[in-house]
């Protein structure tokens, strides 16, 4: 692999230096340049633009790691050297870092759906910029355990960007440095920064904040990242180098072929950088701290009687004392998860589950572990989701080690599904909770009108039957129902005479299926007709959940008897009005 990296590093350095030199001499007004969210000029072409100032990119065109993904072919071209296969461990992404990428991509899918940002693109950039936050060295909140800083952008082989933040982000009050797992320079972070974990802060050293900021940065021009041209433009706006573009695209393709979650802190550390500087020290040097040069040992001066030897005494070997083992994080102490009193999970389709899932993180001794990130994921063929609208949620355990998942909301698919609970950054057995979605139901049906339903033989009923369905006093919408003209109160089989409905062809039908109440719980049946049979008949309506209503229908001939004659006036009286006296 060394030969490959040598070739790539040289190309990357040449591209970066050329861009910086021309940027220092040009006015950045070339065609294909537009303005970003802060009013700065940024290239929108699909090739690096020498007219784009480095300070207008996300990283200031800082150095990046040039490690390549494992090769697909076991027989690479001789011109590329003899690379060493890195193995399948490269496909693993630390749990909290992976969670941050996916959460950011989901957020962008809601706020900027036309961007089509894949989380694998964030992973590819995160790999190239910081080796996935130095192999996932982050705490439960997503904060890097030590600051990840790029070199001083002092013009010595890089762009020259004087301090813009007073050292607030990068600790350097002379020049800017790229900061955090996504390597934002302070001046870009000032307007591009986001709060990705909901703690009220925008911290470039937090992987949730940095991933969300990177997503918004890549989507800021209305680019559609599902198209090649816009994808290239977005990546080049992050770091204006063709080598950088090619490298990110290779990691993007690699992650798209499949990846998996690994515990935090166990990721592969990068080994080569585009400025020919090796590797990723897990603990970066504090900015501004000079390095004290080592003074070479002086040869020993011979003393009288020592045989006159002038050879220097051998230098003792350096200390081999291993570095101190870092203190375990809360996540490291989790041994298992316990259910914390979750009740039976059941809800009707379309309703919210009244019970929430609560899991508790514990040590081997059963002691609660606070400040541990717990992931809840919905598994199975279901359209149920959390109240956030997502299929997963990540929650920090409280002071008693408990994490409460957001409320579940049932979809329209009935049946069972599973919510799997795991510890982010820890490979311990999780918990599976079974949730059940039942069909929509009603427990009460009532007519909305009170008029008697009557008809003459061979005619049609003037009023249509309308009912309202409720469940525990609330409107029961989208509830399935059937309506049948039955033989009697004791015989619910379909009648073969009397009132009837009509099918699409106008033929009599006495049972209707596939009926559904509307959003207000109302169900209005089609018109009813009568044959020549007279009498009293019954219509029975049933819904899912057991609600039943029986409606009486009467078919009778019209009353044709004459109206009674007016009564005769009493004898001696005149029905006419009396005349006025003369």
């Amino acid at each position: 692999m060394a030969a490959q990296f040598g070739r790539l590093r040289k190309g990357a350095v040449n591209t970066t230096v050329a861009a910086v030199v021309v940027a220092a001499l040009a006015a950045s007004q070339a065609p294909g340049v537009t303005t970003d969210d802060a009013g700065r000029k940024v290239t929108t072409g699909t090739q690096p633009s020498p007219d784009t100032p480095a300070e207008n990119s996300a990283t200031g065109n800082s150095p990046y790691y040039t490690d390549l993904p494992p090769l697909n072919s076991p027989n690479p071209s001789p011109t590329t050297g003899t690379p060493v296969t890195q193995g399948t461990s490269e496909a693993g992404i630390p749990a909290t870092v992976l969670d941050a990428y996916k959460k950011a991509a989901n957020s962008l899918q809601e706020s900027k759906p036309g961007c089509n940002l894949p989380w694998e693109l964030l992973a590819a950039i995160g790999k190239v910029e910081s080796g996935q936050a130095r192999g996932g060295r982050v705490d439960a909140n997503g904060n890097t355990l030590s600051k990840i800083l790029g070199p001083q952008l002092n013009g010595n082989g890089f762009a020259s960007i004087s301090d813009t933040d007073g050292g607030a982000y990068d600790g350097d009050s002379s020049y800017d440095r790229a900061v955090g797992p996504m390597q934002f320079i302070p001046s870009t972070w000032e307007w591009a920064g986001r709060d990705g974990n909901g703690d009220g802060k925008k911290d470039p050293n937090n992987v949730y904040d940095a991933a969300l900021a990177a997503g918004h940065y890549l989507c800021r021009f209305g680019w559609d990242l599902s198209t090649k041209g816009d994808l290239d433009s977005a990546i080049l706006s992050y770091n204006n180098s063709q080598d950088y573009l090619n490298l990110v695209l290779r990691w993007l393709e690699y992650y798209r072929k499949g990846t998996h979650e690994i515990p935090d802190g166990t990721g592969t550390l990068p080994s080569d950088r585009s400025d020919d500087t090796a590797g990723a020290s897990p603990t970066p040097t504090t900015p501004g701290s000079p390095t004290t040069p080592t003074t070479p040992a002086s040869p020993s001066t011979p003393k009288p009687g020592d045989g006159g030897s002038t050879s220097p005494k051998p230098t003792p070997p350096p200390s081999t004392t291993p570095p101190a083992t870092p203190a375990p994080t809360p996540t490291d102490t989790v041994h298992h998860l316990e259910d914390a009193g979750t009740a039976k999970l059941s809800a009707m389709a379309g309703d919210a589950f009244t019970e929430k899932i609560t899991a508790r993180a514990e040590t081997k001794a059963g002691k609660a572990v606070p400040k541990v990130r717990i992931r809840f994921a919905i598994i199975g063929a279901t359209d149920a989701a959390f109240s956030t609208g997502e299929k997963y949620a990540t929650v920090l355990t409280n002071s008693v080690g408990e994490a409460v998942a957001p409320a579940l909301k049932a979809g329209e698919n009935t049946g069972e599904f599973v919510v799997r609970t795991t510890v982010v950054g820890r490979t311990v057995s999780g918990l599976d909770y079974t949730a059940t979605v039942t069909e929509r139901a009603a427990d009460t049906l009532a007519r909305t009108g009170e008029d008697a339903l009557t008809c003459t033989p061979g005619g049609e009923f003037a009023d249509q039957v309308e009912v309202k369905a409720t469940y525990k006093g609330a409107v029961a919408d989208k509830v399935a129902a059937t309506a049948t003209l039955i033989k009697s109160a004791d015989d619910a089989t379909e009648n073969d005479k009397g009132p009837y409905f009509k099918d699409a062809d106008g033929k009599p039908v006495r049972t209707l299926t596939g009926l559904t109440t509307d959003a207000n719980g109302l169900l209005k049946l089609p018109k009813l007709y009568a044959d020549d049979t007279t009498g009293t008949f019954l219509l029975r309506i049933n819904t899912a959940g057991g609600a039943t209503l029986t409606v009486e229908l009467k078919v009778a001939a019209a009353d044709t008897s004459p109206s009674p004659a007016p009564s005769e006036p009493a004898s001696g009286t005149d029905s006419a009005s009396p005349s006025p006296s003369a």
Side-chain angles (χ1 to χ4, degrees):
M1 184 173 287
Q4 272 192 321
F5 283 136
R7 291 171 60 85
L8 180 60
R9 289 197 303 271
K10 183 176 290 185
V13 171
N14 290 343
T15 302
T16 302
V17 171
V20 170
V21 170
V22 178
L25 300 174
S28 72
Q29 295 179 351
V33 172
T34 186
T35 56
D36 60 18
D37 291 348
R40 294 164 174 161
K41 293 184 176 64
V42 179
T43 179
T44 57
T46 57
Q47 295 292 327
S49 170
D51 295 325
T52 302
E55 61 266 25
N56 286 356
S57 71
T59 68
N61 296 340
S62 292
Y64 51 89
Y65 291 107
T66 57
D67 300 52
L68 293 169
L71 297 176
N72 295 326
S73 171
N75 300 308
S77 168
T79 60
T80 59
T82 306
V84 179
T85 302
Q86 292 168 285
T88 57
S89 63
E90 285 291 357
I93 299 178
T96 298
V97 180
L98 179 60
D99 186 53
Y101 295 150
K102 290 185 174 181
K103 196 168 186 178
N106 278 330
S107 176
L108 266 296
Q109 184 59 37
E110 292 181 6
S111 61
K112 298 179 180 179
C115 180
N116 293 306
L117 171 75
W119 67 261
E120 292 92 343
L121 176 58
L122 296 176
I125 291 176
K127 178 67 176 180
V128 171
E129 292 295 348
S130 68
Q132 311 298 19
R134 298 193 189 280
R137 295 293 294 164
V138 296
D139 64 18
N141 295 312
N143 299 310
T144 58
L145 300 184
S146 57
K147 284 190 174 182
I148 302 174
L149 299 172
Q152 267 192 343
L153 297 176
N154 56 13
N156 185 19
F158 316 113
S160 179
I161 304 178
S162 298
D163 174 60
T164 61
D165 66 330
Y169 293 120
D170 55 12
D172 192 327
S173 58
S174 299
Y175 294 93
D176 273 350
R177 297 170 180 249
V179 181
M182 302 304 279
Q183 289 289 277
F184 279 94
I185 56 174
S187 58
T188 301
W189 182 263
E190 191 61 30
W191 59 267
R194 294 292 192 279
D195 177 14
N197 61 353
D199 63 357
K201 297 184 294 183
K202 299 176 183 178
D203 184 358
N205 298 294
N206 181 279
V207 69
Y208 287 95
D209 293 0
L212 184 59
H216 278 280
Y217 184 92
L218 294 165
C219 292
R220 69 196 185 285
F221 289 130
W223 280 321
D224 178 359
L225 303 187
S226 65
T227 65
K228 182 67 166 65
D230 283 0
L231 176 64
D232 289 356
S233 295
I235 296 172
L236 287 170
S237 78
Y238 210 89
N239 192 313
N240 191 37
S241 160
Q242 186 67 39
D243 288 325
Y244 181 86
L245 170 64
N246 295 338
L247 184 60
V248 169
L249 289 176
R250 290 189 66 169
W251 278 108
L252 171 60
E253 180 64 21
Y254 180 70
Y255 285 136
R256 276 176 164 164
K257 291 178 179 178
T259 185
H260 58 275
E261 176 185 297
I262 60 175
D264 289 342
T266 64
T268 304
L269 295 176
S271 57
D272 291 274
R273 219 168 61 176
S274 61
D275 59 348
D276 285 318
T277 301
S281 171
T283 307
T285 304
T286 303
S289 300
T291 303
T292 304
T294 304
T295 304
S298 302
S300 302
T301 303
K303 296 180 181 179
D306 66 357
S309 172
T310 60
S311 300
K313 293 183 179 180
T315 303
S319 173
T320 57
T321 303
T325 302
T329 65
T331 302
D332 295 332
T333 67
V334 177
H335 179 266
H336 61 274
L337 289 174
E338 288 285 344
D339 175 46
T342 304
K344 182 179 180 180
L345 297 167
S346 181
M348 285 196 304
D351 287 353
F353 286 74
T354 57
E355 296 295 334
K356 292 184 178 180
I357 298 173
T358 304
R360 183 172 56 253
E362 295 183 354
T363 64
K364 187 174 183 179
K367 183 179 178 181
V369 185
K371 296 185 178 180
V372 171
R373 198 167 287 279
I374 305 298
R375 178 185 287 115
F376 301 90
I378 296 174
I379 309 296
T382 177
D383 54 352
F386 290 109
S387 57
T388 58
E390 299 176 346
K391 293 287 188 180
Y392 71 93
T394 306
V395 180
L396 205 64
T397 56
N398 58 20
S399 59
V400 294
E402 294 182 356
V404 181
L408 283 166
K409 182 172 175 55
E412 295 302 322
N413 295 342
T414 59
E416 293 185 346
F417 65 92
V418 170
V419 178
R420 183 160 296 159
T421 307
T422 55
V423 181
V424 175
R426 187 90 169 127
T427 53
V428 298
S429 298
L431 295 176
D432 281 354
Y433 295 85
T434 300
T436 304
V437 179
T438 60
E439 64 179 334
R440 294 172 182 264
D443 56 15
T444 304
L445 280 174
R447 277 191 66 196
T448 58
E450 298 179 353
D451 294 342
L453 298 168
T454 61
C455 182
T456 58
E460 64 180 52
F461 287 80
D463 296 323
Q464 291 177 245
V465 178
E466 184 181 65
V467 297
K468 183 172 184 176
T470 56
Y471 184 79
K472 295 182 179 180
V475 167
D477 62 323
K478 300 181 182 178
V479 177
T482 59
T484 305
L485 292 151
I486 62 174
K487 291 183 177 180
S488 69
D490 299 324
D491 186 356
T493 57
E494 182 181 283
N495 204 346
D496 57 357
K497 57 185 177 179
Y500 61 88
F501 301 104
K502 288 183 179 180
D503 64 13
D505 297 324
K507 296 179 180 179
V509 60
R510 291 184 168 88
T511 297
L512 297 178
T513 59
L515 304 173
T516 306
T517 60
D518 66 13
N520 298 314
L522 298 175
L523 173 63
K524 192 169 189 177
L525 299 181
K527 276 190 174 185
L528 276 163
Y529 302 87
D531 60 17
D532 293 335
T533 308
T534 59
T536 300
F537 302 89
L538 298 179
L539 167 65
R540 182 159 293 171
I541 305 170
N542 298 299
T543 68
T548 300
L549 177 66
T550 302
V551 180
E552 190 175 87
L553 306 171
K554 290 185 178 181
V555 179
D559 187 0
T560 59
S561 59
S563 301
S567 58
E568 295 293 332
S571 177
T573 63
D574 189 350
S575 59
S577 300
S579 301
S581 58

